[in-house]
Amino acid sequence: MSNEASLFHHPDRNLALELVRATEAAAIRAVPWIGKGDKNAADGAAVDAMRAFLATVDFDGVIVIGEGEKDEAPMLFNGERVGSGNGPACDIAVDPIDGTSLTAAGRSHALSVLAVSDRGTMLDASSVFYMDKIVTGPAGRGVVDIRKPIGENIRAYAAAIGKDVADVRVAVLDRPRHEQLIADIRAAGAGTRLILDGDVAGGINAARHDSRIDMCVGIGGSPEGITTACAVKALGGFMQGRLAPKDDEERARGAAAGLDVDAVLELEDMVRGDNTFFVATGVTDGALVAGVKREGDYITTESVVLRSKSGTLRRVQAEHLASKWLDED
């Protein structure tokens, strides 16, 4: 196959700069709903903007990981085709707002997120909504294992990265289901960073070399888990997951969909190959990226663009003429 044909069949380096337009649009459209207490309205505005921009991108995308089904919010649904239909065939994971509750409350760390890989490489875990996960930097490989007690993992990872256990920081969603996990982390001597919502950023920060977060653990949404896997792969980090069905009915549904709900999922099980993209734009300010800001005639956005094939993280800071967005209302 020629180089030209290969680029046509696989997502290439230019695709990320097209995709970032979609996350920028979703983030900008969500801004009027920040702090207004209506997460579905915020999500709906972001969904409409993302869908409109994805339609202009030259690729043949199928949404494998959609959003909104759990809360009956507006959604880019699983199986929906996006893009112009021309160009590379891709699997897509979308979350127009990762952190709708954060957005509605006016809190930090809300993101607009897209992840892309070659067609047929992204695990469809949608039949089981929750996933237990553990994410670290590259030093976690062969050291950390989701099957081990959290204290053992913390001590082993601290040794691997040359830190005292007391200096290790573990991100975990602040949920009642994690009360024992949080207690065990603290009993081991490590500190917690409790996440209110939107655990994709927590996983990314755990995999980054320059973050204050060393590890991200606990049960979150399986869609967010697969999306995070795309980013972690690009960062060269370590991640394992295990589906966490909430009842026997969901366990049976997962089995019927061909999922081994008891298996430990390695990074390669969640997204295969070495051609993944991850794009995120800040909706509200966070540790990963700044949120959208309106300054006079300009709207500013900050995004990160990750690509596994090149192992790069790029920051995209953009100024948008506010009048162009106002004219579209």
Side-chain angles (χ1 to χ4, degrees):
M1 182 181 292
S2 69
N3 287 339
E4 182 178 357
S6 178
L7 286 174
F8 183 81
H9 287 291
H10 299 280
D12 67 13
R13 69 189 67 183
N14 298 319
L15 183 60
L17 295 180
E18 290 295 303
L19 296 173
V20 78
R21 294 169 59 238
T23 56
E24 287 173 347
I28 290 170
R29 288 301 191 194
V31 166
W33 298 101
I34 293 174
K36 300 296 178 60
D38 190 341
K39 67 177 185 178
N40 282 358
D43 202 34
V47 166
D48 289 345
M50 182 174 280
R51 180 180 278 121
F53 272 79
L54 284 177
T56 70
V57 178
D58 279 335
F59 73 146
D60 178 13
V62 173
I63 294 176
V64 175
I65 304 296
E67 61 85 46
E69 295 170 332
K70 179 189 174 190
D71 297 319
E72 298 181 357
M75 66 181 87
L76 280 154
F77 57 85
N78 290 3
E80 182 174 351
R81 300 191 82 95
V82 294
S84 68
N86 300 313
C90 305
D91 286 346
I92 314 291
V94 298
D95 202 343
I97 304 180
D98 179 46
T100 53
S101 296
L102 299 176
T103 303
R107 295 191 176 107
S108 57
H109 302 295
L111 301 171
S112 177
V113 170
L114 270 172
V116 174
S117 63
D118 292 329
R119 178 69 52 79
T121 59
M122 196 178 290
L123 178 67
D124 180 0
S126 58
S127 56
V128 178
F129 190 81
Y130 286 110
M131 176 188 288
D132 194 8
K133 67 178 180 308
I134 187 165
V135 185
T136 72
R141 293 195 199 96
V143 171
V144 170
D145 193 300
I146 198 171
R147 288 162 287 208
K148 295 178 181 178
I150 187 62
E152 185 177 337
N153 279 325
I154 289 170
R155 289 187 291 272
Y157 190 60
I161 61 176
K163 273 191 175 185
D164 291 334
V165 169
D167 295 327
V168 172
R169 296 295 174 262
V170 183
V172 57
L173 277 170
D174 189 7
R175 298 289 189 271
R177 63 179 177 266
H178 289 148
E179 286 181 3
Q180 187 59 54
L181 177 60
I182 291 167
D184 290 344
I185 292 167
R186 292 170 177 169
T192 55
R193 289 294 181 267
L194 300 184
I195 305 169
L196 293 173
D197 197 4
D199 61 338
V200 172
I204 294 170
N205 284 326
R208 289 172 59 202
H209 69 91
D210 58 350
S211 169
R212 295 179 182 179
I213 301 298
D214 299 297
M215 185 181 292
C216 184
V217 299
I219 297 173
S222 59
E224 289 84 353
I226 301 302
T227 304
T228 301
C230 293
V232 172
K233 178 163 277 197
L235 290 166
F238 167 81
M239 181 175 179
Q240 288 177 322
R242 186 163 48 193
L243 296 172
K246 62 181 182 292
D247 53 32
D248 289 341
E249 181 181 349
E250 192 173 52
R251 174 177 285 272
R253 190 160 61 244
L259 298 172
D260 184 347
V261 296
D262 297 312
V264 171
L265 300 171
E266 304 292 343
L267 200 53
E268 189 68 13
D269 298 317
M270 291 182 265
V271 57
R272 300 193 308 278
D274 191 30
N275 197 32
T276 64
F277 292 89
F278 175 91
V279 181
T281 300
V283 177
T284 58
D285 286 340
L288 184 62
V289 284
V292 181
K293 291 179 176 62
R294 171 74 183 271
E295 299 172 342
D297 295 332
Y298 296 92
I299 297 169
T300 61
T301 57
E302 184 179 20
S303 307
V304 289
V305 178
L306 309 178
R307 190 186 187 205
S308 64
K309 195 166 190 177
S310 56
T312 52
L313 183 156
R314 290 184 172 88
R315 292 191 178 274
V316 179
Q317 294 177 314
E319 291 185 352
H320 314 259
L321 279 173
S323 59
K324 297 292 186 182
W325 291 91
L326 295 172
D327 288 345
E328 292 179 7
D329 287 341

